Amino acid sequence: MNNTDYIVGAVKEIQGTSVIVRMFDDADQLSYFINGKRYSGVLIGSYIGIRRGQYLIIGLIEKESAIDNLNDIENRTFSKKRFIREFTLKIVGAFHHKKYIQGMVAFPQIFNDVVLLSDEQINVIIAGGKAENKEKSYDYLKLGKIWPIGIDYYTYWPNLFNTHIAIFGNTGSGKSNTLTKLYTSLFDLENNKKIDFGNSKFCFLDFNGEYTSNEVLSRKKDVLHFSTRKSIDDINEQNKFHVPYKIFWDKDLLTTIFGATEQTQQPFLSRVINFYFRKNNTFVNNLSNYIKKAFQEVYSSEANLDSLNLLKEILIDLDISYDWVSNWIRNSLVNKTTGKFYSYKALANWNPNNQKNQWFWNIDLINLDIEVDEVKKNIDLWEFIVGFPSKLNNPITQLQIATKLQMIHDLSSHTIQYDHLSPLLHRIEARSKDLNKVIFVESSDHSNSNTDRDIQVISLKNVNKDIKMLLPLLVAKVTYSEQKTSNGNHSKIFNLVIDEAHNILSDRSSIESEKWKDYRLDVFEEIIKEGRKFGYYLTIASQRPGDISATIVSQVHNYFIHRLVNDNDLKMLQNTLSSLDSVTRSTIPNLSPGQAIITGVSFEQPVVVQIDELDDSRKPNSSNTDLLSIWKIEK
């Protein structure tokens, strides 16, 4: 026996890549120390070696059996000597001249010696042949200890953070600790000046305010606390998410945000965008002309009370007095029988009816042109003396006004029915109140970031359900678009980290329209499919992977899987994770808190790791309430 080997058994049977080995009686310890080195014992889920000539073939232990020597079912006596232990192995690689090679390199033979492996050898196997001193190298991050053998586990971060990552696990399984441990370890390298992120960015979407504390993740982070509970006057521009002009005026995005129906409302909204917002910053400059045109359309056709009310609402939105523009507006009434405007007050160029003490507007284009010119002059004078309100600088307010202007035009030309479009107008007005509290639309096609720091946490704890659905979509769309256009030389990466990802990546939601769900999933599925080309990566964490789009889960590169017990979640993983064998997969429902199966393209072998627990000050705020401490009786 070689002084660096410890023979514990021999090969009994070979079935392709599956090998059955018979163990010696004394091979029953958890670990051994030989010549000052620690060797792992023979355990389910651990590795063992098979000596054949110049090869040390490596097998992963999958099954343990007890073989009855007597083979007599009538004899019911039990003794240790009666049974022989056998293990079933799966061949995963081999050492050849001390170099580890992944895969089928050599087959064992019956009676080949089975030997224990040292901690150093197991580390090389898990690392796929890399034998660096991981403890001293900053290229590796220590995440925990390999279970069940207890060896320190290091991951090679240059091959991890340029991939899509998924962290799954039920509540209390350690999912949030793993997410935080992973990124805290990376950020510590930058804080300790071991690495420099340069222009790379990390953005955390935090639904529950778990990562906002000063010590969590990194002290060198900016936290944006978005809120729909505050008054709009209490929220400044820097506490909003900045959206480039071109992205906001994307018709697909706006029709989705405001729930425009396909047949009538979507074409209408497209007309609004194409006419009023083809070019940046032209709407306000042309507003007096738009109002002049709207006034002309109201009074150049059959009297329509809806058109008149829309014109009044536009002036109210602009804080302009009706009488300043034209006394026609305040005094106009509609005779539903004749379809004409009338007034109880004398109005210039209106025809009097002395018997009823009324004045009627019989459409006279010459007189109308005179009044229209006065309207234009009055609005221009108002803008010069008083000025339009500052809220008009907000494109969302501009959209509200433009929608009313377009409705007046379409009503005058009889191309729409007011009842078909009024729900859209009401939705725009209702949702705009919340949108104005959380987004700021830039005047250019580039987003001026809220922060120059590498790490940003966006807290959605204090926003309502609609904004929790919308804002992550906007963040992803804006940051992905910026990364695509600015990273042609591959000089930076962008990592978008989404905790509680089932909130926005679900394909089973019943509280939203199909169009909204399709658009939302299209954005994130494009990122997961194409983001790697532009240095844009997702990290998603969820307690319900079965609810997440199968396309997204299947395109993830690396997985950290904590305890999951729901059948839908387990079936999702079975259908999407080809790197997990049946034995490893069967352990998922039985993992202890903090244990995770790590697998994916950056890892040579699936491995179960007990993730190190962070210090209390660095943990995310996701722990359970301690009832004993809050219900105890003070004595």
Side-chain angles (χ1 to χ4, degrees):
M1 185 174 89
N2 191 300
N3 63 354
T4 60
D5 295 337
Y6 189 84
I7 300 175
V8 292
V11 175
K12 172 192 172 185
E13 184 177 336
I14 302 168
Q15 300 175 1
T17 60
S18 181
V19 178
I20 298 175
V21 300
R22 177 160 289 189
M23 309 304 296
F24 298 156
D25 290 341
D26 56 349
D28 57 0
Q29 300 298 313
L30 290 175
S31 60
Y32 300 84
F33 289 89
I34 307 168
N35 297 329
K37 286 187 177 182
R38 180 181 181 274
Y39 286 73
S40 174
V42 184
L43 307 164
I44 299 292
S46 65
Y47 297 93
I48 202 164
I50 302 172
R51 280 285 176 198
R52 184 183 179 187
Q54 59 187 333
Y55 292 99
L56 176 62
I57 301 168
I58 305 302
L60 176 65
I61 301 175
E62 295 185 328
K63 181 181 177 181
E64 181 177 6
S65 306
I67 307 301
D68 188 353
N69 270 331
L70 298 181
N71 196 23
D72 181 4
I73 61 174
E74 299 295 332
N75 187 340
R76 298 185 180 183
T77 60
F78 180 86
S79 69
K80 186 176 179 181
K81 294 182 179 180
R82 174 174 175 174
F83 295 93
I84 298 174
R85 294 168 67 208
E86 289 187 352
F87 284 90
T88 303
L89 318 178
K90 179 180 72 174
I91 302 300
V92 295
F95 283 95
H96 184 225
H97 298 305
K98 297 185 179 181
K99 180 181 179 181
Y100 180 71
I101 305 170
Q102 183 75 21
M104 286 304 303
V105 179
F107 278 96
Q109 287 183 321
I110 293 176
F111 302 129
N112 281 161
D113 289 336
V114 175
V115 299
L116 298 179
L117 300 176
S118 68
D119 289 356
E120 291 85 352
Q121 289 172 312
I122 293 175
N123 265 319
V124 172
I125 295 166
I126 292 173
K130 300 181 180 68
E132 296 93 338
N133 189 338
K134 300 173 185 178
E135 186 174 353
K136 295 182 179 179
S137 173
Y138 67 84
D139 290 345
Y140 288 87
L141 300 177
K142 180 179 178 295
L143 296 184
K145 292 185 178 296
I146 300 171
W147 184 90
I149 53 184
I151 302 173
D152 287 344
Y153 178 75
Y154 294 82
T155 184
Y156 185 64
W157 62 259
N159 286 348
L160 180 62
F161 291 102
N162 61 348
T163 67
H164 300 307
I165 301 170
I167 303 172
F168 297 140
N170 292 149
T171 300
S173 65
K175 166 177 56 68
S176 295
N177 181 75
T178 297
L179 172 63
T180 312
K181 171 67 177 177
L182 200 60
Y183 279 94
T184 298
S185 300
L186 178 68
F187 297 155
D188 283 348
L189 290 178
E190 204 265 350
N191 292 335
N192 294 327
K193 302 189 183 305
K194 299 291 186 181
I195 58 176
D196 185 353
F197 291 146
N199 293 322
S200 297
K201 299 289 183 182
F202 300 84
C203 180
F204 291 77
L205 292 178
D206 183 4
F207 282 87
N208 300 313
E210 297 179 19
Y211 304 93
T212 57
S213 298
N214 186 48
E215 297 290 335
V216 177
L217 294 175
S218 171
R219 289 186 178 183
K220 297 180 181 180
K221 68 175 184 287
D222 276 337
V223 180
L224 292 177
H225 294 276
F226 291 136
S227 177
T228 54
R229 300 175 184 177
K230 296 181 179 179
S231 166
I232 185 67
D233 297 329
D234 296 331
I235 304 173
N236 61 41
E237 175 187 318
Q238 286 305 310
N239 286 330
K240 299 179 182 180
F241 182 71
H242 291 226
V243 180
Y245 188 92
K246 185 176 181 180
I247 288 182
F248 178 78
W249 290 115
D250 177 77
K251 65 179 182 179
D252 291 330
L253 176 62
L254 288 181
T255 56
T256 301
I257 290 175
F258 298 116
T261 58
E262 185 174 354
Q263 297 300 322
T264 304
Q265 296 174 0
Q266 287 184 33
F268 171 80
L269 199 52
S270 294
R271 293 197 297 274
V272 172
I273 296 170
N274 292 334
F275 183 79
Y276 294 103
F277 303 104
R278 288 192 302 267
K279 297 181 179 179
N280 296 8
N281 306 318
T282 60
F283 181 79
V284 176
N285 296 336
N286 294 320
L287 186 54
S288 60
N289 287 324
Y290 294 148
I291 297 175
K292 165 190 164 182
K293 181 67 174 176
F295 181 90
Q296 186 178 36
E297 289 171 338
V298 169
Y299 289 99
S300 64
S301 60
E302 182 179 319
N304 187 305
L305 183 59
D306 293 325
S307 293
L308 178 62
N309 287 336
L310 287 167
L311 179 59
K312 290 179 178 180
E313 290 177 16
I314 291 170
L315 297 177
I316 292 173
D317 292 338
L318 297 171
D319 300 331
I320 301 176
S321 167
Y322 301 158
D323 295 333
W324 180 280
V325 177
S326 171
N327 60 359
W328 289 20
I329 298 173
R330 183 183 298 279
N331 296 292
S332 294
L333 300 170
V334 175
N335 187 318
K336 294 182 180 179
T337 302
T338 63
K340 293 184 178 181
F341 285 113
Y342 72 95
S343 170
Y344 288 110
K345 183 177 180 179
L347 298 175
N349 299 316
W350 286 40
N351 299 324
N353 184 332
N354 295 329
Q355 292 180 351
K356 294 185 177 182
N357 196 28
Q358 295 176 352
W359 283 259
F360 284 86
W361 170 243
N362 292 317
I363 300 172
D364 185 325
L365 296 182
I366 295 176
N367 290 327
L368 178 59
D369 287 342
I370 295 172
E371 188 66 20
V372 166
D373 289 339
E374 287 297 314
V375 167
K376 177 69 165 62
K377 291 177 184 178
N378 293 338
I379 294 173
D380 288 340
L381 185 59
W382 179 278
E383 182 182 6
F384 178 76
I385 297 174
V386 180
F388 293 136
S390 59
K391 64 183 179 180
L392 190 59
N393 296 325
N394 189 331
I396 300 176
T397 302
Q398 295 176 21
L399 175 63
Q400 292 176 256
I401 295 173
T403 302
K404 295 171 184 177
L405 290 168
Q406 186 66 37
M407 287 182 72
I408 291 173
H409 172 76
D410 289 353
L411 286 170
S412 69
S413 59
H414 305 289
T415 57
I416 63 166
Q417 292 186 34
Y418 180 81
D419 291 343
H420 291 169
L421 289 176
S422 60
L424 173 64
L425 180 58
H426 296 326
R427 282 196 297 273
I428 291 175
E429 292 180 336
R431 294 182 183 178
S432 294
K433 293 178 182 178
D434 290 332
L435 281 175
N436 277 325
K437 295 179 180 180
V438 297
I439 71 169
F440 175 82
V441 182
E442 299 279 2
S443 58
S444 69
D445 287 341
H446 298 283
S447 174
N448 295 316
S449 175
N450 301 57
T451 176
D452 292 328
R453 289 192 170 180
D454 304 327
I455 307 164
Q456 183 180 62
V457 175
I458 296 178
S459 174
L460 303 176
K461 181 179 179 180
N462 294 317
V463 301
N464 60 31
K465 186 178 294 184
D466 284 346
I467 297 302
K468 279 187 177 179
M469 296 292 289
L470 171 63
L471 202 55
L473 172 64
L474 281 174
V475 171
K477 191 172 179 66
V478 170
T479 54
Y480 182 56
S481 176
E482 291 282 319
Q483 184 75 1
K484 282 203 297 186
T485 57
S486 64
N487 196 35
N489 58 356
H490 298 279
S491 61
K492 60 182 181 178
I493 66 168
F494 190 99
N495 282 74
L496 180 62
V497 183
I498 310 173
D499 197 7
E500 307 297 339
H502 49 272
N503 287 318
I504 56 170
L505 300 181
S506 172
D507 62 355
R508 301 185 182 185
S509 175
S510 59
I511 62 174
E512 57 185 342
S513 68
E514 285 297 318
K515 179 175 177 58
W516 167 258
K517 181 169 68 176
D518 291 344
Y519 184 84
R520 170 175 55 80
L521 291 178
D522 283 347
V523 169
F524 284 101
E525 287 177 3
E526 180 185 352
I527 290 173
I528 204 93
K529 291 176 182 176
E530 308 293 335
R532 180 185 58 81
K533 301 175 184 177
F534 309 105
Y536 192 104
Y537 302 102
L538 286 179
T539 295
I540 59 175
S542 174
Q543 56 189 279
R544 291 304 306 272
D547 287 349
I548 297 177
S549 161
T551 299
I552 292 175
V553 175
S554 65
Q555 293 293 323
V556 168
H557 301 122
N558 294 298
Y559 302 83
F560 293 72
I561 305 169
H562 289 268
R563 183 173 182 263
L564 291 167
V565 297
N566 183 276
D567 285 342
N568 290 332
D569 299 330
L570 296 172
K571 287 178 182 177
M572 165 65 81
L573 296 181
Q574 181 177 352
N575 293 334
T576 55
L577 267 71
S578 59
S579 59
L580 276 188
D581 57 79
S582 58
V583 174
T584 307
R585 193 182 299 117
S586 67
T587 65
I588 294 175
N590 301 309
L591 293 171
S592 300
Q595 286 183 353
I597 298 172
I598 302 177
T599 184
V601 298
S602 300
F603 308 101
E604 297 298 333
Q605 295 289 336
V607 58
V608 180
V609 177
Q610 182 73 43
I611 305 295
D612 289 340
E613 193 170 349
L614 291 163
D615 294 338
D616 289 345
S617 62
R618 309 196 78 178
K619 289 180 181 178
N621 185 22
S622 61
S623 58
N624 292 330
T625 302
D626 183 359
L627 291 182
L628 186 61
S629 66
I630 64 174
W631 287 355
K632 67 181 180 181
I633 299 175
E634 297 291 343
K635 295 182 180 179

